[in-house]
Amino acid sequence: MACTMIGHNANELVGISLVSGVTLVDKSGNAIAENANPIIISIRTGETSEHRDLSLLNVSNNKVTPISLIVTPTSGAGSSVVVTMRDIAQELKEESERMDFISTASHEMRTPVASIEGYLGLAMNPATATVDARAMDYLTKAHESSQHLGRLFRDLLDTTKLDDGLIKVHLEPVELSSLVRQFAEAQAPNVQAKGLNFQFGSGFENEQANGLRMSPLYYASIDKDFLQEVVNNLIENAVKYTPSGKVSVFVTGDDHSNRIIIEDTGIGIPRDEIEHIFQKFYRVDNSDTREIGGTGLGLALVKQRVEAMGGQVWAESEQGKGSRFIVMFPRLSDEAYNQQKFLFDNQQAQLANRAPQAQQ
Ligand code: ADP
């Protein structure tokens, strides 16, 4: 079977190395360089690795097959490795059909939902319609549900777009504490509208612990639109799942990493649910959450966005006491930031200069 996939017969493989017998190519069909070849890397490092973004070239008929590749060293670095390859062409095809269906369906359904929402809005507006109190109550509920449906379709569409590579990540060097402050402060009225206190803070972890007030600069390379979605989503959740108390946003970090922390004093998350909440459509189902509306897509979107920017996100919580969501990005040194910022600004200036010419 392996011989059929790689295009060599068993006799040809005797005495030649595994690496020369297995020709791996990337998504564009280009051969993988030696220093990026996972088999070679695993032999050198002794670490197991798994990949789903590579294909196998059959050298006798030039057929390319997408594969799942697992490389497992038999002992430490320098040892031999066991390579497991599985043809995933059918799996990828089905995945892509599923995504196509979801994205077309959600796209098509957004238009009528927006129109229902619009007409309900008109019916509820005393300047455009007259309804009695009971009808207003029904309309309000219908309006809330149509808004929920609209959010569901928007989130579904957004998650499938990134999965499909239709949304591109535009990384740029930024200073995180001022940017997150700006995003968080725009959300402050929503926090306060629910009667919750809002707090924003920034500073090194140790300095905060020592009570020193400092505003260091936290440089990172992120996509501003993605980050705004992430911060908004986490603050919206904090508000939604907090009946009383406080929502706080901090930017902090150490020499290597930046952390954005969104903390609340709400209902918290049961310990055995924490590992699931970032899955699509997963909602904690208990007496505390049943009355609170949601789609179960917000955190899946947050995780997808954060990881697309090279970061990590996780949650810590104590049920009944509150939750803390931590988003971590690698920290750029001042030097790396200045260098990247210079290049980025230059690139933007060039693009701006080119745009008017393109229109002529
Ligand atoms: P939803 O639309 O249901 O809020 P999310 O994906 O944003 O979907 O969140 C998934 C689940 O995680 C929620 O249903 C809720 O049970 C839990 N959750 C998320 N944020 C919080 C929070 N700040 N406090 C308590 N539970 C939370």
Side-chain angles (χ1 to χ4, degrees):
M1 181 65 184
C3 289
T4 322
M5 280 173 81
I6 62 180
H8 284 290
N9 66 42
N11 293 336
E12 286 170 347
L13 292 174
V14 179
I16 71 164
S17 81
L18 182 63
V19 178
S20 33
V22 174
T23 311
L24 296 174
V25 294
D26 64 18
K27 277 192 180 137
S28 332
N30 299 320
I32 297 294
E34 196 179 306
N35 59 5
N37 186 315
I39 303 179
I40 299 179
I41 294 174
S42 279
I43 294 174
R44 278 194 201 133
T45 61
E47 281 170 19
T48 299
S49 64
E50 294 190 28
H51 309 264
R52 275 176 72 86
D53 53 352
L54 295 173
S55 295
L56 186 65
L57 176 70
N58 180 316
V59 289
S60 69
N61 62 11
N62 280 333
K63 193 172 161 238
V64 174
T65 311
I67 52 163
S68 130
L69 175 78
I70 303 175
V71 192
T72 320
T74 49
S75 54
S79 71
S80 34
V81 291
V82 176
V83 177
T84 315
M85 293 177 288
R86 194 165 52 82
D87 179 346
I88 55 168
Q90 183 62 20
E91 229 169 276
L92 292 182
K93 185 167 165 270
E94 284 167 10
E95 224 167 80
S96 139
E97 282 169 0
R98 214 168 31 240
M99 288 303 174
D100 270 357
F101 172 75
I102 294 178
S103 88
T104 313
S106 38
H107 185 78
E108 292 301 318
M109 287 189 251
R110 273 177 62 160
T111 318
V113 168
S115 142
I116 294 172
E117 210 180 306
Y119 282 115
L120 287 171
L122 284 174
M124 289 162 64
N125 184 347
T128 44
T130 313
V131 291
D132 65 19
R134 202 140 63 122
M136 183 59 100
D137 185 36
Y138 298 153
L139 287 172
T140 308
K141 289 191 173 115
H143 192 241
E144 276 166 17
S145 294
S146 72
Q147 279 181 323
H148 177 176
L149 205 57
R151 267 198 308 276
L152 175 65
F153 291 141
R154 186 201 58 198
D155 289 354
L156 258 178
L157 200 60
D158 284 354
T159 44
T160 50
K161 270 188 192 159
L162 190 68
D163 282 341
D164 283 355
L166 291 177
I167 300 186
K168 294 268 177 292
V169 188
H170 298 288
L171 297 179
E172 65 177 283
V174 301
E175 199 286 302
L176 275 181
S177 64
S178 53
L179 194 63
V180 174
R181 175 192 283 272
Q182 182 193 324
F183 296 154
E185 280 177 353
Q187 292 293 316
N190 301 334
V191 182
Q192 283 147 355
K194 201 179 167 189
L196 303 170
N197 286 323
F198 169 77
Q199 186 195 353
F200 177 86
S202 159
F204 277 113
E205 268 159 17
N206 292 340
E207 282 154 356
Q208 273 196 344
N210 294 336
L212 296 174
R213 289 189 62 82
M214 263 190 76
S215 294
L217 300 170
Y218 297 103
Y219 293 128
S221 185
I222 54 97
D223 181 310
K224 280 187 184 169
D225 293 336
F226 277 17
L227 189 70
Q228 185 164 17
E229 274 184 89
V230 167
V231 171
N232 286 355
N233 242 304
L234 293 176
I235 296 180
E236 273 169 30
N237 274 353
V239 173
K240 198 159 80 171
Y241 296 102
T242 305
S244 65
K246 191 161 92 177
V247 171
S248 319
V249 179
F250 297 109
V251 176
T252 170
D254 56 28
D255 287 347
H256 309 289
S257 63
N258 300 297
R259 285 165 200 240
I260 303 166
I261 300 172
I262 286 115
E263 214 173 68
D264 64 59
T265 55
I267 60 172
I269 306 161
R271 187 185 290 260
D272 53 346
E273 303 272 6
I274 289 191
E275 59 175 313
H276 301 295
I277 56 172
F278 290 96
Q279 291 163 9
K280 274 185 200 163
F281 300 113
Y282 195 89
R283 305 203 65 222
V284 176
D285 183 19
N286 60 28
S287 54
D288 288 334
T289 57
R290 217 156 286 147
E291 295 296 308
I292 306 173
T295 62
L297 278 171
L299 288 181
L301 198 77
V302 163
K303 183 170 158 64
Q304 200 190 34
R305 299 289 195 250
V306 169
E307 288 179 356
M309 293 187 274
Q312 283 169 277
V313 56
W314 68 94
E316 297 167 354
S317 177
E318 203 176 323
Q319 201 176 357
K321 297 229 165 118
S323 310
R324 175 187 292 137
F325 284 80
I326 299 121
V327 179
M328 189 167 89
F329 293 112
R331 184 166 185 175
L332 289 178
S333 66
D334 293 5
E335 198 186 345
Y337 169 81
N338 287 330
Q339 204 173 28
Q340 286 194 20
K341 181 88 177 111
F342 175 72
L343 292 173
F344 180 82
D345 290 347
N346 241 308
Q347 207 177 25
Q348 293 303 104
Q350 275 178 15
L351 285 175
N353 280 341
R354 220 175 292 154
Q357 285 165 12
Q359 280 165 8
Q360 280 167 15

